[in-house]
Structures are given as C-alpha cells and as structure tokens.
Amino acid sequence: MDPSPDSENRSLNILMLVDSLGIGGTETHVLGIASALLGRKHKIIIGTSGGPMTARYQQAGLEVVHMPFQTDNPLYTNYTALLSQTRELVRERSIDLIHAHQIAGLKVAAQVSQELLVPLVLTVHGMFYPRRRLQSLIDSCAHVIAVSPPAAAWVRRHLGYPAKQLSVIPNGIDIKHFRPGDAPDFRRELGVAENEPLVTLCSRIAWGKTRVIEDTMSAVEELNGENGVHLALVGSGPDSPFVHAMANMINHRHGRDIIHFTGALLDPVDAYRAADVVIGTARVALEAMSVGKPVIAAGNSGYFGPVTPENFAQGWEVYFGDHDFLSLPSKTQFQRDIRELLRKGKTTEQETLRRLVAAHFRLDTVAAAIEELYYQVLDGQVEAKVAEIKGAAPKIQPQPAPAPAAKPQLPAADSEPKHQDSPLVSVVIPTFNRAEFLDQCLESVFAQTYRPLEVLVMDDHSQDQTEAVMAKWAEQAERTQGLTLVHYRLPRNLGFAKAVTIGYMLAQGEFIANHDSDDISHPERLTQQVQFLRLNPDYSLVGTNYEIFSDDFNDRKKAFLVRYDNNIVSCYRSGNHCVCFGSLVMRRQVVDRLGGLSSFLKGAEDYEYVARAIVQGFNVQNLRTPLYYYREHGEQRSREFYGMRSAISSHAREGAGS
C-alpha cells in the first residue's frame, strides 16, 4: 500500500548507526544515501566512532555524533554507555526511525527500539555478519534491506527471515560524480606513461579478496612482458603486508615498478579514469562502469569476468562477484580477459553500461526508494521492494546456414564413447575387510560418466570375501568400454597410508582420484572435477561437498566439514580439516612432488597430506555440489582416530597462541 500524501511530505528525523567510518563500500553507501536524504529535506544524524571518512560526511552537511563503538559486540560498560547515549539522542532529537548498518549498532538499536518504540530498519551489506548474533537481533527490525539478491537469499535461508519483511534495494551510485573524464596526474604520480596500459584493482585487502589480488598481480607480471601492462592497487587492509611483499618481489624481478600501491583513497574516481581496465566488485564495479571503463568483476566469492551489456543483469544477480560467483579466479583467466579488453580498447559497450548503471543504480532513485520505505514502516504498512535490474538484449549476429553434413548428431545410446582427447583418470580405492560395502562402491565407480578410467583396488590383505567380489567386477570391467580394473592384493596388512601410497605409485593417470571402499560417488563426480581442473589450471586439487548416510542411502544428511575458497587455507592453518579426502581429485604433479601419505599420523594422514600440499604451494578447492556420499558405520577408521585429529588441532591452536 502506498503511504498517505501527508506522510510523504513530512520531514523525518533519522538516526543512522554506522559503527565506524573506514574506507569501504558500506561507509560510501551510507554517505551517499544520507546525503541524498538530506537533500530531500530530512534530518540525518550519523552515530559512529568515526574514522577516515568522517570529514567527507561533515563536508556533505551531515551531523556526525561520536559514539564509543569499540568492537562489533559491545559488552558491559561499553554497551551501557552506548545504550544511554542512543536513548538520549532518540529523545532529544525526536528520532522517528533508526537505521542500522553494522552489527554493533544493530545490537544497541534493537534494545532502544524496543524500549522507546522507535521502528528499526537494518541494511544487510553482505554475508560477513556473525550469523548467530545477527539472528538474535534481526527479529527486532521492522524491515530489512539487502543490497543484492544473494544477500537477501542469505538472510532468508540462514536466518529464516520472512520475505515479506525483506526488500532488495541496491547501492546508489552518484553518476554526476562518477562520470567519464581524464586523470593524467594519477598516472604521472605512479610513473606510468600515457602509452602504457594500466589496470586498476580497487579493493579492501582482506576478507578473502587477497586471492583475487594475487592472481591479478601474477597475470599483470606476464602481460607486462607482452605489452608493458602496469597494475595500480587501490586499497588497504590487514593483508597489506603480504600483498606488499609479493609486489616487491615482482618489481625486483623486473628491476622497476610494474605493481603500484596507492593505499586507500577517499575518492577513487581518478583511479578509475586513469585506467584502461578496472578490476573490482560490488559498488567498485558500478562506479567504474559509471566512469565509462571496461570492468572485470571479481571479488569475495569468485570470478564473474568482463561485464557486458548482455550479462549486466546476470552480474547483478551475483553482485558482480562479491556475494556469489560464476567461476573461481585464476591467473590464466585474468590474463586472458585483461589481454582481450586491452585489445578491444574503447567501444560503445562502455557507453551502454554507463546508461544501465544510471537507469538502475542512480543515487537519487535509490534514496527515493528508501525514503518511501521509511514512510511505509512508520505507517505500519510495508510492501517489500525487489529491485528489477535488466541488461541490454543480446546482439544477434546473422550466421550462414550450415551445410547439412555439418549438423551435429547426438550419439546413439549404444554408441562407443568418444574420449580420445580426455586425459586418463586413475581411481585409487584402498580396502581392508570391506567386502560387504565394496559392491556398492565399485558400482558407483563403474557408473561414472567420465572415461577413460583406470580403477585400482588396493586390497590391504583382507580376510573376508573381497577376492570373490573383485573377481565378479573384473569380469564386468572386461565388458566395460573405456575402463580398466586393477586388483592388487598386498602380501601383508600395511595400513591405510601405505596402501594408498602404493596405489598412487601404480596409477598411470594424468589425474588421480581418491575413493574409500565403503563410500559411494555420484555418476557426474569425476566429470565435474576433471572439468574444473582443466578449466582452472592454477588449481591442483579439488574435492566436493558430500552427504552422510548409514544403512539407508536415501536417508542422507548434510555434512558441515567442507569449506571453500580462501577459507580452506585458513582452516588448515588453524589445524582443522575441511576437505573430504575420499572425494579428492588431484593432478599427477601433486603426487610427483609430495609422494605418498605419511604413515606416522594414523587417522590424520588425510589432514596432513592436504596441509602439506598447501604448504608446497598447491591450490585446493571444493565443489559446492554434493557429489560424494560418506557411509557411517561402526568400524570406519575415522571413528578410531578422532582423538589423534583432536590432538593435532589442539597442538596447532596452542602453537598459534604461543
């Protein structure tokens, strides 16, 4: 329902709580919205602990009130002082509505909102909020705004927040400020000539964005040798020392600076204008498009790639790589896309993208939507808003009709599979007295859609019916196109680590896949993992998400061990394990460098092997789709040795704290 005409004309007193005013997307968004609302005759008070952006807020005419936010979870005396000050502000300034943007401000606002009956609105700027804390506070909100579709989905799915109280309203872009122009001084200060291509990457150097920065630096180093490409890194953060060290090594190798640091900039418009290509995500991508620059979208979640008028709407659905992704970043991908954008140069695409940003993300339009939401909240009749973002229609190029002979034909169901260009995959299956489960395991391996396949069953001197089971599957293997089966019975029981290691040494494949003899794989598992490794040459190991079952395969439950992206490295650094070892596929060079499993850490061999791969510089990823099924039963190795893993984790934590 629309707000009444009287309420639309009423000037509002809004208290916006922003824990700190560092240089980032959240703080820039609040500055833009608050300034626009001020221009619409509302009184905006900013409650914050301050920071580098404070002067810009004050220059915009906003009243900034210092509040002693110290952490994102105010406790004891700090919490009491914040509550007291907020109550006082609400009463003395006749605050109509509180708008929180970060978690500490939300905690304080939730309490004051309930006490003084002032409605509370929260904007969720991403998926970085502490979930449990947010879940305990979010029910106090009259309405929640998410800045992207993935952020809204996260709020609904993980917090159970009702869709009718959740709106999707994007960041607003000041297109009058972020407009095309020249910035020769920016290049001059970096020492980059006008005829040298410049890539600008604008990002906070933290929160999992470091991987994107590393890949970009590596790509630019190689491109510099081709056509003299330079990289300007705009931003700062806790990972800056590491990134600086890597940049210094690159610059030292070349005997001159090709990677340039500017630090964080209060206003990055000149950094965009001086660039030939901008790499960024979320509002950085939108600002750069508004300036008329080619953009490669890549961020927290992963790689989206070059933004075009045709994929603009799809980019919005993943917030240009910040809240979701299409693929994972790699040096090779950055190198290819930067090279192609530099080759194309300036095109009409940039003009079209600027118009799309103006049509959907203009600051005045976004401020008007938030203003209308405020009125509806105060009237108690809110209609959830969902921004509808459209891109340009794809260009249809006329194509000559193909000759009849060129028309592709789908193979018949019984035709011979074609895999001449596919690399051999070796599946290593260690087993000891698992005959009762081995049938189901091999059935799932034989059902893999990937070919050619070499299956090595390493029988660790089993004393059950394993040989009889293997004899049956050996016959089946002879009738199965593109698959060979090797059954190797060890002369004595050597243990899991040695059985796997011997399998690795006997394997002939370009890729080596693990598989436990009591588990089951999805038919598409190997196809998807090999495809990932072939498309992402910078990765050497890839596991998958998995599900757990016991007696009934149809009664499966979700696993919570698996992590993704940079969280994998963080997990192993802290002594924890987040790759399901049985689901792992790796390149042969991993085994060539690392050798086999260590047998002295019984029960933690899988943890140690992945950790060793990371230390040796191999990149690891997990596919998010559950493609592996882990069987729980009373005799599995992991049950016997959980104590060993716990001890390793405890030791790692103690070492980190010493």
Side-chain angles (χ1 to χ4, degrees), residues 431-432 459-463 488-495 498-499 502:
T431 188
F432 176 64
D459 181 359
D460 196 16
H461 207 69
S462 296
Q463 301 301 308
Y488 193 92
R489 178 174 166 81
L490 300 179
R492 59 188 178 87
N493 184 254
L494 298 176
K498 290 181 179 177
I502 294 170

Side-chain angles (χ1 to χ4, degrees), residues 54 324 336 343 433 454 547:
T54 301
D324 206 342
R336 182 183 64 238
R343 185 193 65 80
N433 291 342
E454 176 189 48
E547 294 175 340

Side-chain angles (χ1 to χ4, degrees), residues 348-476:
T348 57
E349 280 192 353
Q350 280 78 64
E351 297 172 12
T352 305
L353 287 167
R354 174 169 162 79
R355 288 197 295 270
L356 288 170
V357 172
H360 298 295
F361 297 92
R362 185 189 295 267
L363 182 58
D364 293 342
T365 305
V366 173
I370 292 177
E371 177 190 57
E372 182 185 4
L373 182 66
Y374 287 167
Y375 286 133
Q376 291 181 349
V377 166
L378 290 166
D379 286 348
Q381 301 182 46
V382 187
E383 293 180 358
K385 308 171 187 298
V386 178
E388 185 178 357
I389 309 297
K390 295 181 180 179
K395 297 175 183 176
I396 301 175
Q397 300 291 341
Q399 299 288 337
K407 185 177 180 181
Q409 299 291 327
L410 291 174
D414 59 349
S415 65
E416 182 178 330
K418 303 294 188 292
H419 46 72
Q420 290 90 337
D421 297 328
S422 300
L424 176 67
V425 173
S426 298
V427 184
V428 176
I429 307 175
T431 188
F432 176 64
N433 291 342
R434 292 286 182 268
E436 61 179 312
F437 304 130
L438 193 54
D439 261 326
Q440 284 185 305
C441 165
L442 289 173
E443 182 180 5
S444 76
V445 173
F446 276 50
Q448 291 298 303
T449 57
Y450 187 87
R451 295 290 187 272
L453 214 56
E454 176 189 48
V455 182
L456 300 102
V457 177
M458 309 309 297
D459 181 359
D460 196 16
H461 207 69
S462 296
Q463 301 301 308
D464 60 0
Q465 300 302 310
T466 294
E467 287 203 62
V469 172
M470 290 307 305
K472 178 181 70 174
W473 285 101
E475 292 180 9
Q476 171 118 6

Side-chain angles (χ1 to χ4, degrees), residues 224-290:
N224 181 265
E226 295 178 15
N227 51 15
V229 178
H230 287 249
L231 174 66
L233 284 174
V234 180
S236 64
D239 288 345
S240 291
F242 169 77
V243 174
H244 273 271
M246 184 175 178
N248 289 337
M249 286 191 291
I250 293 173
N251 291 336
H252 180 73
R253 282 197 292 268
H254 290 260
R256 61 195 178 96
D257 287 353
I258 64 173
I259 311 293
H260 310 266
F261 275 90
T262 71
L265 299 178
L266 286 173
D267 184 357
V269 66
D270 281 347
Y272 302 146
R273 287 173 175 167
D276 296 291
V277 174
V278 175
I279 297 174
T281 185
R283 73 174 298 118
V284 168
L286 292 167
E287 288 170 352
M289 282 185 271
S290 183

